[in-house]
Amino acid sequence: MHLNFLALAVPFFLTFIGLEYLVAKKNGKRYFRFNDSIANLSVGIAERLLDTFTVGVFYFVYDYLYRHFAVFDIKASVLLWVALLICTDFIWYWYHRLAHEVTLFWCAHVVHHQSEEFNYTVSARITVFQAFVRTGFWAILPVIGFPPAMITSVLLVHGLYPFFIHTRTIGKLGILEYILVTPSHHRVHHASNPKYLDKNYGDVFIIWDKLFGTFQKEEEEPVYGLTKSLESNSFLWQHFHFILEMIYSVRKTKGWRNKLRVVFGKPDHVDPAARVVLEETFLLRNSSITETPKLNNYVVWQMAATLTLLFIFLLLEHYVPVFVQVCATFLILLTLINCGAIMEQKRWVFYLEYARYTVLCLAIYYYWPHPLVPFVAALIITTAIYFQSRLKEEYFRLVYGYTRT
C-alpha cells in the first residue's frame, strides 16, 4: 500500500501535547485552558487539511522556478544541506519580521498570536494563508539553484523544530540560548509586554535577531496574546477579523497613497476602532455564555472524531477519490466552525447539522449510488424539518445542558 506516513504527525504532536499537559499538571501549573486549546487545534487541523491540496502547488512552483530560472546547478552534499538550512532560516527570519511589520502579511500571521496561553497547541495556529506567503519568500531558493526535493526535505525539518519551542515547561537552556531559538526566546516573541513586542523573529537560529537588532532576553513574566485581546472562540472570526479590519480601514481612508500605506505599511495604520465596529456587525456576541460540562464534552467528542477523520484522510490520501476528499474537507471545516460557534453558544449551530448531514449523504451516495440513498436522506431531512422546533430544543439541551429558545 502507498500510505502517506506524514499522517503520523497527527498522533506524534498529540502525544507531546498530552505529555506537556501531564507535566504541567504534575507541577501544579495551569498552562492549558479548554476553549483556548480547542481553538488552537481547530486552526491547526484546518491548515493540515488544506495543505493536502496546496502542497503540490508549492512543489510545482519550486520545480518550475528551478528548471527555468536557477542561477547555479547545486548538487546535494553535506555542506550544501547545511547551507540550505541556514538560507532557509535566514529567509524565515525576514518573512517572519515582515509578517509583523507589513499589514497585508500580518493578516495571515495574526492568527498565530491570538492565543492567550503558550503551550504546544499554540504551534498549531498556522493558516493556509500563511503557507502561501511563506512560499513566496522561499521561492528564492530554487532560483538560487537548490533542487525542489532538497528544499522540501529541509522545510519538513525546519517546520518540525518550532513545535518544541512553544512551551512554558522548559526553562532556559544554558549555552544553547546563544545559538538556537529556545522556548525562552520564543516566549518573548509571543508576549504582548511592551518591552517584548516585535522581538525574536528567528525560527531555528537566534543569530539573525542578534545580528539585526531584534533580540530580547526573557526577563519579566510574559503576558501572551495580542495587545488587544480578541475575546472570541469563533473559528471564522479568528481567521478573517484582521482582513476585515484592513478592508474597513482602506475604505475609510482617503487618497490612494494613504490607502496603500494601510495595506503595505505597518499594522499600526489600521484604524483601531475598526474591530469594535466590525464585531457589532459580524460577531454578535452572546452576553449570557455559561460554560457547561455537556458543552465541553460535546466539543471534545467532535474534536476527537475530527482528528481521527483527519488522520485516516491523510494516511489514505492516495486512495481517496477527489470527490470524497472534497466532502471530507467540507465535513471537517463545518465541524471546526461548529465547535467554535458552540463555544460561543450561537443559535445557528443547529443549522450546521443540516449542512454536515448533507455532505455526509453526498459521500455515501458516491460510494453507493443506489436510488434508496437519496430517498432515505430526503425522508430524514423532511422529518427533521417537520419536527424542527422539538429537535432544536433537544439539541440545545444535549449541547448546552439547557433549553434555548
Side-chain angles (χ1 to χ4, degrees):
M1 294 184 70
H2 186 43
L3 301 177
N4 178 10
F5 290 105
L6 289 177
L8 296 175
V10 175
F12 175 83
F13 290 139
L14 289 175
T15 299
F16 277 94
I17 289 170
L19 288 173
E20 184 191 29
Y21 175 79
L22 292 175
V23 169
K25 188 175 182 181
K26 183 179 178 181
N27 293 329
K29 304 292 186 180
R30 192 180 177 187
Y31 292 158
F32 291 78
R33 285 188 296 178
F34 180 80
N35 287 9
D36 198 87
S37 297
I38 293 296
N40 295 344
L41 291 173
S42 295
V43 174
I45 289 170
E47 190 270 339
R48 186 75 284 277
L49 176 69
L50 296 175
D51 263 1
T52 306
F53 302 96
T54 59
V55 70
V57 176
F58 297 157
Y59 187 88
F60 172 81
V61 170
Y62 295 149
D63 185 61
Y64 181 85
L65 292 173
Y66 175 73
R67 287 187 290 106
H68 293 86
F69 301 102
V71 176
F72 302 104
D73 183 20
I74 295 176
K75 305 297 182 184
S77 69
V78 174
L79 286 178
L80 287 173
W81 278 103
V82 173
L84 177 56
L85 176 62
I86 293 172
C87 287
T88 300
D89 201 58
F90 176 74
I91 293 170
W92 169 274
Y93 170 86
W94 283 106
Y95 146 72
H96 197 182
R97 180 168 175 173
L98 290 174
H100 282 254
E101 295 179 350
V102 177
T103 301
L104 185 63
F105 296 155
W106 180 241
C107 287
H109 188 60
V110 65
V111 181
H112 187 62
H113 285 268
Q114 290 165 350
S115 177
E116 294 180 20
E117 293 295 334
F118 192 71
N119 53 54
Y120 284 152
T121 67
V122 176
S123 66
R125 294 190 72 93
I126 305 294
T127 68
V128 72
F129 307 135
Q130 193 169 332
F132 273 99
V133 175
R134 290 189 306 200
T135 298
F137 278 82
W138 280 324
I140 189 63
L141 294 171
V143 174
I144 293 172
F146 289 106
M150 280 183 71
I151 296 170
T152 304
S153 300
V154 167
L155 289 180
L156 285 173
V157 176
H158 195 267
L160 179 64
Y161 181 80
F163 173 82
F164 294 100
I165 60 177
H166 288 84
T167 182
R168 281 187 274 177
T169 58
I170 299 174
K172 296 192 176 183
L173 299 176
I175 195 172
L176 293 179
E177 299 284 326
Y178 297 95
I179 306 167
L180 301 175
V181 175
T182 64
S184 176
H185 296 328
H186 208 58
R187 287 193 288 269
V188 167
H189 178 70
H190 273 261
S192 57
N193 310 48
K195 71 183 295 183
Y196 290 163
L197 291 177
D198 301 324
K199 301 294 183 182
N200 298 1
Y201 294 113
D203 197 47
V204 175
F205 301 112
I206 198 62
I207 55 175
W208 313 120
D209 286 289
K210 294 187 175 183
L211 187 62
F212 297 111
T214 53
F215 174 72
Q216 171 61 50
K217 189 163 53 173
E218 184 182 24
E219 295 171 344
E220 63 190 48
E221 183 70 20
V223 176
Y224 301 102
L226 303 177
T227 51
K228 183 182 178 184
S229 178
L230 197 61
E231 297 178 359
S232 172
N233 299 305
S234 169
F235 177 81
L236 292 175
W237 186 246
Q238 289 181 0
H239 277 78
F240 296 106
H241 79 93
F242 200 79
I243 297 174
L244 293 173
E245 289 175 39
M246 180 184 72
I247 294 171
Y248 174 89
S249 299
V250 168
R251 293 181 65 181
K252 295 282 287 184
T253 303
K254 295 181 179 180
W256 281 106
R257 181 174 296 179
N258 293 328
K259 290 178 185 291
L260 290 172
R261 185 180 294 116
V262 171
V263 177
F264 299 105
K266 291 189 174 183
D268 299 344
H269 293 298
V270 171
D271 187 349
R275 188 183 300 177
V276 176
V277 175
L278 292 167
E279 283 177 344
E280 291 177 356
T281 305
F282 296 104
L283 198 53
L284 303 175
R285 293 191 190 280
N286 174 15
S287 58
S288 60
I289 291 178
T290 304
E291 189 173 316
T292 67
K294 284 191 175 183
L295 182 152
N296 289 352
N297 290 338
Y298 187 67
V299 171
V300 166
W301 279 108
Q302 290 210 63
M303 288 300 295
T306 302
L307 285 164
T308 302
L309 178 58
L310 177 68
F311 174 70
I312 295 170
F313 174 82
L314 295 176
L315 188 67
L316 303 177
E317 175 188 350
H318 303 293
Y319 299 95
V320 181
V322 173
F323 181 78
V324 178
Q325 285 188 18
V326 172
C327 286
T329 299
F330 274 107
L331 187 61
I332 290 174
L333 291 177
L334 286 169
T335 301
L336 297 178
I337 294 169
N338 197 39
C339 286
I342 285 172
M343 291 190 293
E344 297 271 297
Q345 298 193 9
K346 300 294 187 184
R347 293 176 181 271
W348 48 264
V349 291
F350 175 77
Y351 301 102
L352 279 181
E353 301 300 346
Y354 288 136
R356 294 201 293 179
Y357 171 77
T358 302
V359 172
L360 185 61
C361 288
L362 287 172
I364 293 172
Y365 185 70
Y366 180 87
Y367 278 112
W368 190 40
H370 193 279
L372 189 62
V373 174
F375 174 76
V376 172
L379 182 63
I380 292 173
I381 200 75
T382 303
T383 305
I385 292 172
Y386 184 78
F387 293 103
Q388 179 168 288
S389 98
R390 182 175 296 179
L391 280 173
K392 188 188 292 186
E393 181 180 324
E394 291 300 319
Y395 180 82
F396 288 133
R397 183 177 286 114
L398 169 68
V399 177
Y400 299 136
Y402 56 85
T403 304
R404 294 190 54 157
T405 57

